[in-house]
Amino acid sequence: MRGDEFEKYLSHELRVVNRSLPRVRKSLKTLLEERYPHVPTRDGGAHMFRKRELIAAAEVLGDEAEELLLPIVLEFQVSAERTYAVVRDPVAAKLIARILGLPEETPIFVYPVQLRELRRRVGSLITYAFLP
Amino acid sequence: MPQLLRVRPTKIELIRLRRRLKTAKRLHKVLKDRLIILSQELIDTVKEAADLRESINERLVQCLTRYIDATASSTAAEIEEYATSRYEEASVVLGTRAVAGIRVPVAELERVERRIAAERFSAALIRVGACFDEIMEDVLRLGELEASIALMGREVSRVKRRVNALENILIPRMEATIRYLRMKFEEREREDKMRLKKVKELLQKRAGSSEGR
């Protein structure tokens, strides 16, 4: 494989993993009012949310639920030595901290072992982004 | 020892190779992170699907036992009427969600219940209805999980092949070639130094002999 082919493949792979990121994010309140809660994605598709997970998130957050923008983007820094995700949105960080029983701080760092619980409780509300 | 790449032993090539190695390592990290997420998701989905299938099978036996009990107190026509008149509308909403670059299905069951005169049907029959209602949602979830397993499994094997190729073949070959080129340049430098030394000695010798004359 030539050098430029590597570059091409790297950018292709980053495009592939990030193609399903949301084009717009919607608030939890808006999504709860929709019949089919979803957001459009960059590749022209849609990311659908499970209603029971939306309700569960609203219950966990209480009054702050209206400010939560979905889906929650978990950013993976490719240049980092270890694999972990960062959540920068303060309301989303609060939700994750409460689900995982972590101290409420922004940004919050999520390690792969903690993703399991997150997926089980709010799997359709999260999405992954890979940053070069 | 890993094979060497076929490159010209020049400094430019060494610089290019170093740049390629850096890119290859970044690509390896992207793929590896993605593989970690996908594998975890796959394992969880497989476990959940296996548990759900077992629970559905157990509950199906219970529901069918209840159904047999219900047939003792209701006629076939009553059972059919109850089964077909309970919902105004029942539909499945199918969508997708994105998991690390792949789309997996999301299915939700939507049912609009119809008001029926419950006193017209036996309690045993109503219990059968409730039992099958619970199973229906889980069967849908199981379908969603099994479709996700197939999609994720395919992607995991694809990504794994690429990670292995980078980890075991391409990156070691590049590193070995860089090492080889470095050694080659060092050797060339040493030879140059030696040659210069020899030339210097020769010149000094010549200068000495011409002074002597």
Side-chain angles (χ1 to χ4, degrees), chain B residues 45-204:
Chain B
T45 314
V46 169
K47 273 185 192 159
E48 196 186 338
D51 291 346
L52 199 60
R53 186 170 273 279
E54 205 181 312
S55 125
I56 288 172
N57 285 342
E58 278 168 17
R59 279 181 296 154
L60 262 178
V61 173
Q62 281 175 11
C63 292
L64 289 172
T65 318
R66 283 183 193 172
Y67 175 76
I68 292 165
D69 292 344
T71 51
S73 55
S74 312
T75 63
E78 274 173 346
I79 293 172
E80 199 182 333
E81 191 192 341
Y82 180 69
T84 53
S85 63
R86 291 179 59 226
Y87 294 107
E88 292 260 351
E89 197 188 309
S91 56
V92 175
V93 181
L94 268 179
T96 55
R97 69 183 177 94
V99 180
I102 57 160
R103 295 200 155 273
V104 291
V106 178
E108 292 226 288
L109 189 63
E110 277 195 345
R111 288 181 287 200
V112 183
E113 279 195 51
R114 182 180 285 165
R115 281 171 186 267
I116 51 167
E119 63 277 3
R120 281 175 52 211
F121 305 101
S122 70
L125 192 55
I126 291 170
R127 270 204 302 277
V128 174
C131 188
F132 277 111
D133 270 357
E134 269 179 42
I135 290 183
M136 213 147 86
E137 275 193 28
D138 287 344
V139 167
L140 191 67
R141 172 96 182 117
L142 184 64
E144 184 193 309
L145 291 174
E146 289 190 346
S148 305
I149 290 170
L151 289 165
M152 280 192 276
R154 206 174 306 146
E155 192 65 11
V156 163
S157 69
R158 190 188 78 90
V159 176
K160 208 171 189 171
R161 265 203 309 276
R162 278 160 174 72
V163 169
N164 285 344
L166 279 166
E167 207 170 280
N168 302 321
I169 300 167
L170 281 163
I171 293 177
R173 273 186 193 175
M174 279 183 202
E175 282 171 341
T177 313
I178 289 172
R179 250 196 322 270
Y180 166 76
L181 287 181
R182 269 204 201 123
M183 280 196 301
K184 189 132 189 143
F185 294 140
E186 277 169 12
E187 201 183 313
R188 210 178 276 170
E189 224 168 89
R190 275 197 300 273
E191 275 175 10
D192 283 347
K193 262 186 199 164
M194 283 302 291
R195 204 173 297 127
L196 282 173
K197 233 181 194 176
K198 288 264 180 217
V199 170
K200 204 176 163 187
E201 273 174 21
L202 211 71
L203 286 174
Q204 273 173 349

Side-chain angles (χ1 to χ4, degrees), chain A residues 1-4 6-7 9-10 13-14 16-21 35-37 41 43 45-52 76-83 112-113 115-116 119 123-124 126-128 130 132, chain B residues 16 19-20 23-34 36-37 40-41 43-44 47 89 91 93-103 105-108 110 141 144 155 158-159 162 166 170 174:
Chain A
M1 214 185 253
R2 287 163 60 93
D4 49 345
F6 267 118
E7 286 287 349
Y9 187 44
L10 175 66
E13 202 56 40
L14 284 172
V16 166
V17 289
N18 291 330
R19 72 181 164 198
S20 38
L21 283 178
R35 188 171 177 201
Y36 306 117
T41 54
D43 59 354
H47 179 105
M48 196 173 147
F49 300 99
R50 281 200 192 95
K51 273 184 187 163
R52 63 177 166 79
F76 283 89
Q77 204 78 44
V78 173
S79 52
E81 280 274 309
R82 287 187 66 185
T83 302
V113 279
L115 283 175
R116 183 159 294 154
R119 266 197 304 266
S124 71
I126 57 172
T127 190
Y128 310 105
F130 291 83
Chain B
R16 260 188 220 147
R19 207 178 297 151
R20 277 166 67 186
T23 315
K25 280 187 174 168
R26 274 177 66 203
L27 179 62
H28 177 253
K29 181 75 172 33
V30 172
L31 291 170
K32 195 133 197 188
D33 283 357
R34 199 170 164 219
I36 289 171
I37 291 167
Q40 259 196 6
E41 191 111 8
I43 291 165
D44 291 348
K47 273 185 192 159
E89 197 188 309
S91 56
V93 181
L94 268 179
T96 55
R97 69 183 177 94
V99 180
I102 57 160
R103 295 200 155 273
V106 178
E108 292 226 288
E110 277 195 345
R141 172 96 182 117
E144 184 193 309
E155 192 65 11
R158 190 188 78 90
V159 176
R162 278 160 174 72
L166 279 166
L170 281 163
M174 279 183 202

